[in-house]
């Protein structure tokens, strides 16, 4: 008689009252203590159900095969063959189990993707429903094509018909109430501009001539260096930078501390912009998205909207003077007009006359004109109310990297590979061209200060010009060397009252130029 579990002759045999099966005592005791049931039948079993059996102490005879060396070798061979067959069966079972597990994981992953897509569609539907409820009544028709005779450097050009890109979503359009809001803002700002005077706190020319580097702050990662864009929140003196490392950094100049690092984009941040109300902040990226960030009381910023209306890199974002709307420009040859509170794209405009993408964009200070630069060296001026291309300027070489309107509303500065051109918006003509660098060096940034008295240019160095009129000479009053060692200054911004300049380059440092002794830390 052999044990039902081990298959060997038991030393202390016991029998189950319920099943009548024979077991080795120590084995069945261990099994009952662990599982509380019969190992063969699976029925509940206790030690009270086990009956010991008395057997004679007889020495088991040695098997005939173990009586000789050839017999023992045969036994070992048989055991080895059995072990190999058992191992082969186990490997087959393992392979089958792996296939079943892989199939189950694939089904689980597919189910998760379907759930995520359905959740996204649900959230988008809820957002559109909430927006429609807030903005009723709103015209649901898209902006109609407007036949406008575009002016090319003051000359008549072929009429362009504005058509939405094929396959794009139906947009609600810019409603009559929004147009009224934009028009009222334009009238108020134009009236204020007539009474506007140069602030007494503006940095004088002799002070700008004495500016030197005050500090340098490493804000971005070393493995992906490069600051591509910058903006300044004047009332709080906070500087924002967008980097190649896909992060945006908010930096407090007064304390010299980083307030927040905004992560979320998967590729480089090409443009950053503050909204001077509601503590909002905008970032555009090469990952084809725009993010709207909401500030909190603890100085942190949370992502409020992720906008995915473009199909190529988003190169620029600019905020309207009402602080209620903003525009994004992309290499997909469209610009989008958004409602800031809801993140809804009201209209997406494409110019059917060309296939070039937009590389820069800026609102006119009055808010009814939008300027865009293209990858094919064109500058296009748009009427925001009708989304019509009302003028275009050519003459640049290379992509238009930056656009800046003067605060007086008369001048437009554009930067490209061949330098900077100044345009008179009243006569739609180029009245001055700066070529500060050689033919192998592009001009990456151009910026008027808020007073409209200074113009800064960034390329292989940084230059500041005194703003004059159309006929007078614009003198270069200061040149700052590029201290990054990269030979490529990518962005420049004037601080409040032009008391300092913030410069970003293709290293990871933000540099501040100004007069020693001004407010702000003096660390390097």
């Amino acid at each position: 008689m052999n044990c039902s579990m081990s298959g060997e002759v038991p030393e202390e045999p016991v029998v189950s009252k319920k099943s009548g099966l024979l077991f080795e005592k120590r084995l069945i005791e261990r099994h009952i203590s662990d599982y509380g049931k019969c190992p063969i039948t699976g029925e509940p079993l206790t030690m009270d159900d086990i009956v010991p059996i008395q057997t004679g102490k007889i020495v088991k005879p040695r098997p005939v095969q173990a009586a000789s060396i050839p017999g023992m070798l045969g036994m070992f061979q048989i055991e080895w063959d059995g072990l190999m067959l058992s191992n082969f069966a186990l490997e087959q079972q393992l392979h089958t189990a792996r296939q079943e597990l892989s199939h189950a994981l694939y089904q689980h992953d597919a189910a998760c993707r379907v759930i995520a897509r359905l959740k996204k569609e649900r959230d988008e539907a809820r957002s559109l429903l909430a927006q429609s409820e807030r903005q009723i009544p709103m015209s649901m028709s898209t902006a109609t094509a407007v036949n406008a005779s575009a002016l090319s450097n003051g000359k008549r050009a072929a009429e362009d018909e504005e058509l939405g890109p094929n396959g794009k979503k139906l947009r609600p359009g810019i409603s009559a109430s929004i147009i009224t809001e934009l028009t009222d803002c334009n009238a108020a700002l134009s009236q204020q501009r007539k009474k506007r005077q140069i602030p007494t706190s503006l940095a004088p020319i002799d002070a700008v001539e004495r500016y030197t580097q005050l500090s340098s702050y490493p804000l971005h990662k070393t493995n992906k260096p490069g600051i591509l864009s910058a903006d300044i929140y004047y009332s709080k003196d906070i500087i924002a930078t967008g980097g190649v490392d896909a992060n945006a950094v908010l930096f407090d100049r007064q304390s010299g501390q980083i307030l927040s690092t905004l992560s979320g984009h998967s590729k480089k941040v090409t443009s950053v912009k503050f909204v001077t109300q509601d503590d909002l902040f905008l970032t555009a990226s090469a990952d084809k998205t725009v993010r709207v960030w909401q500030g909190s009381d603890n100085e942190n910023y949370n992502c409020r909207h992720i906008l995915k209306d473009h199909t190529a890199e988003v190169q620029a974002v600019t905020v309207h003077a009402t602080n209620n709307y903003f525009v994004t420009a992309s290499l997909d040859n469209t610009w989008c007009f958004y409602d800031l509170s809801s993140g809804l794209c009201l209209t997406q405009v494409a110019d059917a006359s060309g296939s070039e993408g937009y590389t820069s964009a800026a609102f006119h200070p009055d808010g009814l004109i939008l300027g865009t630069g293209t990858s094919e060296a064109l500058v296009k001026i748009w009427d925001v109310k009708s989304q019509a291309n009302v003028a275009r300027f050519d003459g640049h070489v290379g992509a238009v990297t930056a656009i800046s309107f003067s605060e007086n509303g008369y001048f437009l500065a554009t930067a490209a590979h061949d330098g900077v051109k100044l345009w008179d918006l009243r006569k739609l003509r180029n009245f001055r061209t700066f070529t500060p660098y050689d033919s192998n060096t592009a001009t990456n940034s151009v910026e008027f200060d808020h007073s409209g008295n200074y113009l800064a240019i960034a390329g292989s160095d940084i230059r500041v010009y005194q703003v004059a009129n159309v006929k007078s000479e614009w003198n270069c009053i200061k040149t700052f060397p590029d201290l990054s060692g990269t030979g490529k200054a990518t962005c420049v911004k004037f601080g409040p009252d032009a008391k300092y300049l913030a410069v970003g380059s293709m290293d990871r440092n933000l540099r501040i130029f100004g007069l020693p002794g001004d407010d702000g830390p003096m660390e390097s």
Side-chain angles (χ1 to χ4, degrees):
M1 299 291 288
N2 295 329
C3 174
S4 298
M5 294 177 67
S6 66
E8 302 289 339
V9 177
E11 295 179 1
E12 294 183 70
V14 293
V15 175
S16 170
K17 293 180 181 179
K18 293 185 176 181
S19 63
L21 296 171
L22 182 69
F23 298 100
E24 177 70 60
K25 182 179 180 181
R26 68 176 187 276
L27 295 179
I28 193 63
E29 285 180 348
R30 173 64 63 84
H31 190 83
I32 291 174
S33 65
D34 290 343
Y35 303 103
K37 61 182 180 181
C38 178
I40 307 303
T41 64
E43 297 178 354
L45 192 66
T46 65
M47 291 303 300
D48 295 334
D49 299 325
I50 301 300
V51 178
I53 297 177
Q54 298 296 328
T55 60
K57 300 295 184 179
I58 301 174
V59 178
K60 293 179 290 185
R62 180 179 297 178
V64 177
Q65 293 86 349
S68 65
I69 291 177
M72 294 178 66
L73 291 176
M75 291 175 57
F76 294 155
Q77 183 65 51
I78 293 172
E79 290 181 1
W80 172 260
D81 293 343
L83 180 61
M84 290 300 100
L85 291 174
S86 176
N87 185 53
F88 177 73
L90 289 175
E91 287 183 351
Q92 283 187 320
Q93 292 176 2
L94 176 61
H95 179 68
T96 303
R98 282 179 173 174
Q99 285 184 324
E100 293 175 351
L101 177 61
S102 176
H103 183 66
L105 290 175
Y106 176 79
Q107 288 182 322
H108 178 267
D109 182 64
C112 290
R113 289 176 182 272
V114 171
I115 292 172
R117 178 174 58 81
L118 292 177
K119 284 184 177 180
K120 178 182 177 182
E121 293 176 354
R122 180 202 64 186
D123 294 341
E124 289 178 351
R126 285 179 176 176
S127 177
L128 291 175
L129 178 60
Q131 176 62 19
S132 62
E133 290 175 351
R134 285 195 298 267
Q135 295 197 354
I136 292 176
M138 174 181 282
S139 171
M140 295 304 294
S141 61
T142 58
T144 57
V146 179
N147 291 329
S149 56
L151 297 176
S152 178
N153 289 348
K155 298 180 180 180
R156 293 286 177 180
E159 293 185 352
D160 297 328
E161 184 181 17
E162 293 185 2
L163 299 175
N166 293 332
K168 290 294 181 180
K169 299 177 182 178
L170 182 66
R171 307 297 184 188
I174 302 178
S175 66
S177 60
I178 296 177
I179 292 177
T180 301
E181 181 183 359
L182 302 183
T183 305
D184 292 343
C185 176
N186 172 75
L189 293 176
S190 299
Q191 188 65 27
Q192 293 177 7
R193 184 166 292 107
K194 295 178 181 179
K195 303 176 182 179
R196 194 165 176 269
Q197 295 181 351
I198 298 176
T200 57
S201 56
L202 180 69
I205 294 177
D206 61 338
V208 176
E209 291 175 342
R210 293 182 285 117
Y211 280 3
T212 59
Q213 177 174 309
L214 300 179
S215 50
S216 176
Y217 303 97
L219 303 185
H220 292 269
K221 296 180 180 179
T222 55
N223 59 337
K224 291 184 178 180
I227 296 176
L228 302 179
S229 55
D231 195 27
I232 299 177
Y233 196 158
Y234 289 127
S235 61
K236 297 183 178 181
D237 205 5
I238 296 175
I239 304 174
T241 60
V244 178
D245 60 0
N247 291 334
V249 176
L250 274 64
F251 172 77
D252 184 355
R253 191 187 71 91
Q254 292 291 333
S255 65
Q257 301 296 321
I258 294 177
L259 299 179
S260 184
T261 299
L262 309 184
S263 302
H265 287 293
S266 60
K267 295 183 179 180
K268 60 185 179 182
V269 177
T270 55
S271 182
V272 296
K273 194 67 67 175
F274 282 107
V275 181
T276 56
Q277 69 179 24
D278 299 330
D279 208 11
L280 296 174
F281 180 65
L282 307 175
T283 57
S285 171
D287 63 8
K288 307 177 187 178
T289 68
V290 177
R291 290 178 178 248
V292 181
W293 305 82
Q294 174 73 63
S296 58
D297 295 335
N298 57 0
E299 302 293 345
N300 289 326
Y301 278 75
N302 300 314
C303 185
R304 181 171 170 182
H305 300 294
I306 302 177
L307 311 176
K308 301 180 179 180
D309 297 284
H310 289 292
T311 58
E313 293 186 11
V314 185
Q315 293 285 299
V317 59
T318 177
V319 181
H320 189 268
T322 59
N323 288 311
N324 294 328
Y325 310 99
F326 67 95
V327 162
T328 61
S330 168
L331 290 179
D332 64 6
N333 193 30
T334 68
W335 57 268
C336 292
F337 186 93
Y338 287 93
D339 175 76
L340 187 57
S341 61
S342 65
L344 178 67
C345 178
L346 301 180
T347 185
Q348 187 168 10
V349 181
D351 188 358
S353 65
S355 59
E356 68 276 5
Y358 296 112
T359 52
S360 54
F363 269 115
H364 186 275
D366 291 341
L368 288 184
I369 294 176
L370 175 71
T372 58
T374 73
S375 59
E376 297 183 1
L378 284 178
V379 179
K380 298 182 180 181
I381 306 298
W382 303 83
D383 178 7
V384 177
K385 294 189 294 183
S386 63
Q387 299 94 64
N389 179 205
V390 295
R392 61 180 62 196
F393 305 128
D394 55 31
H396 269 302
V397 174
V400 180
T401 54
I403 285 181
S404 179
F405 287 96
S406 173
E407 187 62 26
N408 63 12
Y410 300 149
F411 302 141
L412 170 65
T414 57
H417 189 85
D418 58 341
V420 172
K421 291 184 179 293
L422 298 173
W423 309 88
D424 185 351
L425 297 177
R426 294 165 293 185
K427 297 183 178 181
L428 299 178
R429 68 182 184 89
N430 169 226
F431 67 90
R432 186 159 279 100
T433 299
F434 299 130
T435 54
Y437 312 119
D438 58 47
S439 58
N440 295 323
T441 304
T443 305
N444 301 309
S445 180
V446 62
E447 180 79 15
F448 282 102
D449 81 302
H450 186 66
S451 70
N453 283 267
Y454 299 112
L455 177 72
I457 295 173
S460 60
D461 57 26
I462 304 95
R463 305 189 183 198
V464 179
Y465 291 81
Q466 180 185 8
V467 174
N469 53 38
V470 173
K471 297 181 179 179
S472 301
E473 191 65 29
W474 294 42
N475 297 318
C476 180
I477 58 178
K478 184 66 177 181
T479 299
F480 304 100
D482 175 36
L483 300 177
S484 69
T486 63
K488 190 174 182 181
T490 54
C491 52
V492 59
K493 297 288 292 186
F494 283 98
D497 294 325
K499 291 296 180 62
Y500 66 85
L501 272 82
V503 177
S505 303
M506 285 309 292
D507 64 349
R508 67 192 188 111
N509 294 316
L510 172 70
R511 289 176 170 79
I512 306 297
F513 294 85
L515 284 180
D518 282 353
D519 293 338
M522 294 297 294
E523 305 168 2
S524 63

